[in-house]
Amino acid sequence: MSMFEDIPVDVGVIYEGERIRRKDMQVELGGPSIKEKFEWAKVKPLDQVEDGKVTIIGPDIKDMTEGQAYPLGILVEAAGSTLEPALEGVIERRIHGYLNFIEGFMHLNQRYDIWMRLGKKAFQKGLNSFEYIGKVLYKLFKSELPIIEKVQITFITDPAKVKEMYPVALEDYEARDAKARGLKDEEVDKFYGCVLCQSFAPSHVCVITPQRYSNCGAISWFDGRASAQIDPKGPVFAIERGELLNAEKGEFSGVNEAVKKRSLGDVDRVWLYTAFDHPHTSCGCFEAVAFYIPEVEGFGVVNRSFKGVTVNGLAFSTLADSTAGGRQVDGFHGMSIEYMRSKKFLAADDGWNRVVWLPKEVKERVKDFIPADVVDKIATEEDVQNIDELKTFLKEKKHPVLARWEAEAAAVEAAAPAEATAEEGAMIPVATAASLPIMAVGFKIILKDAKIYAKKVIIRSMKDEKKT
Ligand code: SF4
């Protein structure tokens, strides 16, 4: 007899990774068009939790209009004689995995970024109430994490109530993150890995260290340790750090071995503190993307909730598509906001001295962690709209990347033949890039630290090309 026989749709791991397109969705819960949304776990005393209770505050799914998006808060309150508040992050992250087990239900992201869709077919089969979703969560929490003795689940869809609870949840996430700050990677002999996102990104393995928070921003090193202890067969596992192979880049023999094994050989080398060469893989639920801007030799960072286009004209979704899927993409780095508060944040690439653009909202959130001599030199969408304006801004502010421009100019001058500078037709650099991929039939050729010189640059319109 199935544990889920009273649920109108199937429930199981085979549904993990199921995507629900807009045209197939009954309703959307949270997501990019909804500002306030959250999922939040709290550990409570045993006498304050009614085991199995599911509460709905606001309209239920059956009361919602087809095709519309709604605010949602999910509160999971758990209790157990040995359950500690330190496990709240672990419990909370399981919501993602468990909800994705439901046929016709999709859950993405975490904390204040949650995005869910219920498919029309699942709704037509009878999945029309949060009661069922709460029951699935209840049963999975109790069967997968026996340390939880009692659990009650509340779904909040009343916009006023979601709005009221949202800042309280944010404060709680911040308090949790703050507790995890301070420990250094060098001070531990174990890191933790997570493969929960492999349902969407099959070769992705998160490596969680004290100074590199998980990509989703929902699992600290402490959460990783707790999760591996209470559920050793679960998605989070210990990684023996092994030998330090490269302190600057953040390469460890144990990390390479664990990632190779868990990605089934797809990824065999990871550098934890850089976005170049062997960057940490990016899944799909990272909170932000760092993207290299070759024109200024610096990085932009954009977060998921940023609505506009970034300084290079691309939106978060385009940049996320360029890096997601468990790949290592040179110059792109899916990551959490909390990682930006770490001393190891892109440390091998010169850290904050290399960051040139951020959405204002992100800058405000991490301001206290940006070195005081750089903070005003980083542009936001309010300062610049495109790369030319960014260049001017960086020059005016004397951003540290200017030293790279000068070094670059000096290198180009030294490389060019002396007489050529004076002659017409001299070789001039027409492109420089840290990494320049060239696609050829069947091959991808990557030129590292490329400088391309041309005797002449001919610009022809595509229309003219067609005519000839
Ligand atoms: S982003 Fe990483 S840590 Fe977070 S759930 Fe996915 S794999 Fe796990």
Side-chain angles (χ1 to χ4, degrees):
M1 191 185 287
S2 161
M3 162 162 103
F4 300 108
E5 61 171 7
D6 52 349
I7 307 296
V9 294
D10 209 1
V11 179
V13 283
I14 56 160
Y15 300 105
E16 267 194 306
E18 189 185 11
R19 290 275 174 183
I20 297 179
R21 306 277 162 212
R22 175 166 293 281
K23 66 175 177 41
D24 302 321
M25 84 182 191
Q26 178 66 28
V27 288
E28 184 164 85
L29 304 159
S33 63
I34 302 292
K35 186 166 180 290
E36 280 119 359
K37 63 244 173 181
F38 62 86
E39 63 191 14
W40 187 18
K42 291 301 294 170
V43 168
K44 290 272 175 85
L46 274 160
D47 61 355
Q48 288 182 24
V49 176
E50 191 180 324
D51 195 32
K53 183 175 161 196
V54 176
T55 310
I56 305 161
I57 303 173
D60 200 355
I61 296 171
K62 53 172 114 43
D63 309 317
M64 295 177 169
T65 308
E66 185 183 322
Q68 295 294 304
Y70 291 86
L72 176 68
I74 302 178
L75 178 63
V76 173
E77 291 164 296
S81 40
T82 57
L83 195 61
E84 291 177 9
L87 288 167
E88 285 170 352
V90 177
I91 297 167
E92 195 174 280
R93 195 61 190 130
R94 291 299 174 97
I95 299 171
H96 172 66
Y98 297 162
L99 291 185
N100 277 321
F101 285 179
I102 303 174
E103 177 191 2
F105 196 86
M106 177 183 85
H107 178 289
L108 301 172
N109 312 333
Q110 66 294 314
R111 290 186 173 179
Y112 49 79
D113 254 347
I114 51 167
W115 183 2
M116 284 162 252
R117 278 181 180 171
L118 169 67
K120 281 181 194 163
K121 280 193 193 147
F123 180 78
Q124 282 151 13
K125 278 190 183 178
L127 190 64
N128 58 9
S129 171
F130 287 112
E131 276 289 338
Y132 296 124
I133 294 172
K135 272 188 190 167
V136 172
L137 281 177
Y138 169 74
K139 289 178 186 201
L140 285 168
F141 271 122
K142 291 293 290 281
S143 64
E144 301 273 314
L145 298 176
I147 195 170
I148 296 179
E149 291 165 36
K150 289 179 172 184
V151 62
Q152 66 186 26
I153 294 143
T154 308
F155 295 90
I156 307 110
T157 57
D158 172 19
K161 189 73 185 158
V162 174
K163 200 171 177 150
E164 178 194 317
M165 293 177 73
Y166 174 74
V168 189
L170 291 193
E171 267 176 34
D172 209 42
Y173 304 141
E174 165 55 25
R176 214 188 276 161
D177 292 345
K179 266 192 216 148
R181 283 173 209 147
L183 191 64
K184 297 194 175 75
D185 287 1
E186 304 82 75
E187 293 167 353
V188 300
D189 54 11
K190 277 193 181 73
F191 294 157
Y192 293 91
C194 179
V195 290
L196 195 64
C197 290
Q198 284 198 343
S199 47
F200 294 98
S203 55
H204 176 70
V205 183
C206 258
V207 179
I208 305 159
T209 79
Q211 290 179 288
R212 194 187 185 287
Y213 224 89
S214 62
N215 283 5
C216 55
I219 304 187
S220 68
W221 182 86
F222 289 97
D223 295 333
R225 185 177 66 174
S227 187
Q229 276 167 359
I230 60 163
D231 185 19
K233 293 196 177 128
V236 179
F237 53 92
I239 297 176
E240 291 299 333
R241 220 182 58 157
E243 196 187 334
L244 176 63
L245 302 175
N246 187 327
E248 187 209 349
K249 309 273 186 201
E251 183 176 19
F252 301 87
S253 63
V255 169
N256 285 346
E257 281 159 30
V259 170
K260 184 173 180 183
K261 186 171 160 207
R262 296 291 184 138
S263 70
L264 301 178
D266 259 19
V267 180
D268 59 8
R269 199 168 183 196
V270 175
W271 291 352
L272 295 173
Y273 314 141
T274 173
F276 294 122
D277 295 307
H278 304 284
H280 189 286
T281 53
S282 302
C283 44
C285 55
F286 40 78
E287 285 185 285
V289 186
F291 54 99
Y292 186 60
I293 310 173
E295 295 91 333
V296 293
E297 302 200 37
F299 279 98
V301 179
V302 61
N303 61 325
R304 190 172 289 278
S305 55
F306 182 67
K307 292 279 186 294
V309 291
T310 65
V311 69
N312 67 2
L314 301 175
F316 172 86
S317 55
T318 315
L319 288 160
D321 280 350
S322 321
T323 186
R327 293 171 295 154
Q328 292 177 294
V329 184
D330 212 25
F332 289 84
H333 203 53
M335 59 185 204
S336 61
I337 300 291
E338 182 60 22
Y339 178 45
M340 300 173 82
R341 301 185 177 108
S342 162
K343 288 257 182 279
K344 297 288 189 198
F345 167 58
L346 298 180
D349 307 325
D350 214 5
W352 281 108
N353 283 342
R354 204 75 185 275
V355 177
V356 293
W357 185 91
L358 285 175
K360 188 171 176 233
E361 182 217 328
V362 175
K363 192 169 172 182
E364 284 299 318
R365 283 171 64 187
V366 298
K367 211 171 175 179
D368 295 344
F369 297 82
I370 306 176
D373 57 339
V374 185
V375 66
D376 294 333
K377 299 172 182 174
I378 300 173
T380 72
E381 72 278 19
E382 291 188 352
D383 301 309
V384 300
Q385 300 299 315
N386 54 46
I387 300 285
D388 285 340
E389 288 178 16
L390 177 63
K391 280 184 186 168
T392 309
F393 179 93
L394 298 174
K395 273 190 215 158
E396 276 172 15
K397 299 282 179 185
K398 299 192 174 48
H399 190 288
V401 289
L402 262 59
R404 289 175 182 271
W405 302 4
E406 283 155 19
E408 173 75 11
V412 168
E413 203 170 302
E419 70 278 15
T421 51
E423 283 179 17
E424 198 187 336
M427 299 275 274
I428 49 166
V430 292
T432 62
S435 171
L436 188 65
I438 298 171
M439 302 306 290
V441 183
F443 294 95
K444 183 180 180 190
I445 302 162
I446 299 172
L447 306 179
K448 297 278 178 194
D449 292 328
K451 283 189 193 74
I452 298 179
Y453 289 83
K455 201 156 193 179
K456 210 177 195 181
V457 178
I458 301 170
I459 301 168
R460 299 182 67 173
S461 93
M462 299 291 279
K463 280 190 212 144
D464 294 344
E465 287 279 311
K466 279 184 194 147
K467 278 184 217 152
T468 53

